[in-house]
């Protein structure tokens, strides 16, 4: 074999191997937008056209159930280029979060330039997939599929405004969903402009489960939210007044999905504008209720919590656990004040201690200072311990010795 022939064969082999490598990493639907990809997480957006390529269906409200069913198949996500293990995670997430994924597809169908977002969290302990929607500003999309294919759906008449899911989903998994509603979306739900004056009428409207069904929740979830607004009237009124008076503040709805499902309410900023606490100045009694709601939110995704501070004159212990049947076991012991109680009173103590701190995001020093302050205990402890396990199986462990 001469040198020229040998070189040609080697070059051909290199090209072949390169082509094989390309095929191995390039998905068949390879036009999706990868926003982030590293060893910890990947975030990918799929346009309406790419969803059609994967499922064979135009993204319309009428087709949403069929698309949702198709996206619950592992083979579809393998078609998109994911490994089998990753494809299984995504398919299971779509399947387990049926109503949420259906609402996301409907919202995508009715909103220009909105894409389906798939987030993969990669770790050795609890890999998982999340789904959502996100705007893709670099390529505005006109809603051509619905117009160009009138045989599959009657535009405008088939999809009235009331059937379009509202709110921005910031988290959705098997354990809970968190959705933000802007002032404009609250107006669309209730027919009322969100002002301090209208807050009471809006609060009353939000006690109707049909309003939350209009927002895209299934009947059981809508009932949970409506009952929460009704049973916590002063607190929900204070939150609405706060949203009315603070720029860039949204009304937050949390639905806990477990053996003991429930709904929580709150507010959250969607921008960098500072929050002027106008409602708290007007109605201080109601603002305290809002603070209590924040504490309830902090315990809503905790499965187990144990806090212990050791002092020379005694120990302080807090224990909190959500049982498999949804019941809660809580206990509080304070060797310094000789307090010792269990049940609802201890549960309220735990909530009070967690008010104003996020165990998932705060650093060790901030958590330690916050807990010590909330317990009205000194910093002269011998040892500080905190262990928390959440509904998604993530854990926080802190141990400080002096």
């Amino acid at each position: 074999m001469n040198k020229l022939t040998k070189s040609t064969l080697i070059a051909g082999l290199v090209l072949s191997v390169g082509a094989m490598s390309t095929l191995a990493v390039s998905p068949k639907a390879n036009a999706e937008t990868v926003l982030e990809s590293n060893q910890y997480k990947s975030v990918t957006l799929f346009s309406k056209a790419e969803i059609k390529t994967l499922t064979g269906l135009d993204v319309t409200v009428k087709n949403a159930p069929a698309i949702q069913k198709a996206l619950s198949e592992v083979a579809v996500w393998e078609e998109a280029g994911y490994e089998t293990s990753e494809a299984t995670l995504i398919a299971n997430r779509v399947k387990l979060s049926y109503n949420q994924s259906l609402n996301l597809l409907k919202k995508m169908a009715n909103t220009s330039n909105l894409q389906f977002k798939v987030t993969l969290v990669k770790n050795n302990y609890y890999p998982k997939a999340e789904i959502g929607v996100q705007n893709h500003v670099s390529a505005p999309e006109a809603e051509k599929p619905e117009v160009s294919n009138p045989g599959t759906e009657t535009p405008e008449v088939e999809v009235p405004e009331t059937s379009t899911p509202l709110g921005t989903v910031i988290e959705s998994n098997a354990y809970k969903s968190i959705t933000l509603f802007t002032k404009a979306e609250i107006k669309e739900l209730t027919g009322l402009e969100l002002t301090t004056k209208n807050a009471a009428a809006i609060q009353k409207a939000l006690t109707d489960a049909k309003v939350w069904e209009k927002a895209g929740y299934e009947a059981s979830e809508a009932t949970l939210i409506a009952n929460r607004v009704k049973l916590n009237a002063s607190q929900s009124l204070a939150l609405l007044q706060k949203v009315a008076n603070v720029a860039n503040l949204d009304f937050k709805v949390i639905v806990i999905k477990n053996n003991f499902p429930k709904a929580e309410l709150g507010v959250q900023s969607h921008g960098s504008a500072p929050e002027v606490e106008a409602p708290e100045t007007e109605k201080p009694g109601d603002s305290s209720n809002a603070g209590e709601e924040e504490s309830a939110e902090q315990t809503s995704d905790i499965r187990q919590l144990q806090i212990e501070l050791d002092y020379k004159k005694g120990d302080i212990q807090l224990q909190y656990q959500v049982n498999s049947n949804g019941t809660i076991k809580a206990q509080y012991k304070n060797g310094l004040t000789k307090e010792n109680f269990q049940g609802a009173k201890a549960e309220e103590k735990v909530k009070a201690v967690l008010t104003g701190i996020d165990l998932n995001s705060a650093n060790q020093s901030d958590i330690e200072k916050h807990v010590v302050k909330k317990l009205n205990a000194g910093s002269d402890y011998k040892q500080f311990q905190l262990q928390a396990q959440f509904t998604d199986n993530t854990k926080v462990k802190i141990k400080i010795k002096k």
Side-chain angles (χ1 to χ4, degrees):
M1 183 181 296
N2 59 46
K3 291 184 178 180
L4 179 60
T5 304
K6 186 175 182 180
S7 299
T8 302
L9 285 174
I10 294 173
L13 180 60
V14 170
L15 287 173
S16 298
V17 170
M20 288 173 66
S21 300
T22 302
L23 288 173
V25 299
S26 299
K28 295 180 181 178
N30 59 1
E32 70 270 6
T33 301
V34 179
L35 298 182
E36 181 178 352
S37 180
N38 53 50
Q39 59 181 321
Y40 306 108
K41 180 171 72 170
S42 71
V43 182
T44 308
L45 301 182
F46 293 85
S47 67
K48 295 178 177 70
E50 288 158 358
I51 294 293
K52 181 179 179 180
T53 299
L54 290 173
T55 65
L57 296 166
D58 285 320
V59 180
T60 65
V61 173
K62 185 176 181 180
N63 288 341
I67 294 174
Q68 191 277 337
K69 184 177 181 181
L71 295 180
S72 65
E73 296 294 332
V74 175
V76 170
W77 296 107
E78 289 180 323
E79 176 85 6
Y82 290 96
E83 297 178 0
T84 301
S85 59
E86 297 174 332
T88 302
L89 285 173
I90 302 169
N92 286 342
R93 168 58 55 235
V94 174
K95 188 181 298 183
L96 291 171
S97 302
Y98 172 81
N99 291 287
Q100 194 64 53
S101 55
L102 184 61
N103 288 336
L104 290 173
L105 288 166
K106 288 180 180 178
K107 188 169 186 177
M108 184 179 172
N110 283 279
T111 306
S112 177
N113 202 34
L114 206 59
Q115 298 190 330
F116 195 80
K117 180 167 71 172
V118 175
T119 304
L120 271 175
V121 179
K122 313 169 187 177
N123 58 49
N124 295 327
Y125 302 103
Y126 192 68
K128 60 180 179 178
E130 303 293 353
I131 55 176
V133 289
Q134 182 170 319
N135 281 314
H136 183 48
V137 295
S138 62
E141 295 181 11
E143 296 295 324
K144 291 182 180 180
E146 295 187 18
V147 178
S148 63
N149 194 1
T152 60
E153 181 176 11
T154 304
E156 301 300 329
V157 177
E158 178 79 11
V159 189
E161 244 184 87
T162 56
S163 70
T164 306
L166 298 174
T168 300
V169 180
I170 61 174
E171 182 176 348
S172 177
N173 54 48
Y175 307 103
K176 71 177 177 180
S177 69
I178 303 178
T179 308
L180 303 183
F181 294 89
T182 64
K183 296 176 179 68
E185 288 169 332
I186 289 175
K187 180 181 179 180
E188 190 169 346
L189 286 173
T190 64
L192 295 168
E193 192 81 38
L194 181 52
T195 62
T196 303
K197 184 178 180 180
N198 288 341
I202 292 174
Q203 189 272 337
K204 184 177 180 180
L206 295 180
T207 62
D208 186 351
K210 291 182 180 179
V211 170
W212 296 107
E213 288 182 41
K214 178 181 178 181
Y217 290 96
E218 62 178 10
S220 59
E221 294 175 333
T223 300
L224 284 174
I225 302 168
N227 287 341
R228 180 69 177 180
V229 176
K230 187 183 298 183
L231 292 172
N232 295 270
S234 60
Q235 177 261 338
S236 54
L237 179 60
L239 292 175
L240 288 167
Q241 289 175 329
K242 190 172 184 180
V243 173
N245 284 278
V246 179
N248 292 324
L249 204 62
D250 292 340
F251 191 77
K252 178 163 66 172
V253 175
I254 304 169
V255 176
I256 307 299
K257 312 168 188 177
N258 55 28
N259 295 329
F260 191 66
K262 61 179 178 177
E264 304 288 358
L265 308 173
V267 293
Q268 183 169 320
S269 175
H270 64 255
S272 58
E275 295 184 7
V276 182
E277 302 293 334
E280 293 187 10
T281 304
E282 284 186 7
K283 296 178 76 77
D286 286 343
S287 67
S288 65
N289 286 333
E292 291 172 10
E293 178 54 37
E294 290 176 8
S295 69
E297 180 186 326
Q298 293 304 319
T299 58
S300 63
D301 57 354
I302 292 178
R303 181 176 294 163
Q304 290 183 343
L305 174 69
Q306 184 171 348
I307 300 173
E308 184 174 346
L309 285 84
D310 300 335
Y311 293 87
K312 289 182 179 180
K313 296 183 179 180
D315 301 338
I316 301 176
Q317 295 181 357
L318 268 173
Q319 293 183 338
Y320 178 93
Q321 178 176 321
V322 180
N323 299 317
S324 58
N325 61 359
T327 59
I328 294 173
K329 180 181 179 181
Q331 185 172 15
Y332 173 67
K333 292 182 180 180
N334 191 324
L336 304 178
T337 62
K338 307 306 179 186
E339 293 176 284
N340 187 349
F341 45 81
Q342 302 179 2
K345 190 175 180 181
E347 183 182 348
E348 287 305 314
K349 186 69 176 179
V350 173
K351 291 179 178 180
V353 169
L354 296 183
T355 299
I357 192 75
D358 186 345
L359 299 181
N360 276 311
S361 60
N363 61 43
Q364 177 174 299
S365 177
D366 288 342
I367 293 174
E368 179 266 339
K369 290 177 182 177
H370 176 89
V371 171
V372 170
K373 182 179 179 181
K374 286 290 185 177
L375 289 172
N376 294 318
S379 58
D380 57 337
Y381 56 80
K382 295 185 294 182
Q383 183 170 280
F384 174 98
Q385 292 187 86
L386 181 148
Q387 295 185 48
Q389 181 179 2
F390 301 89
T391 51
D392 62 356
N393 285 333
T394 57
K395 296 180 180 180
V396 172
K397 290 186 178 182
I398 299 174
K399 187 173 183 178
I400 302 173
K401 287 185 176 182
K402 288 187 176 181

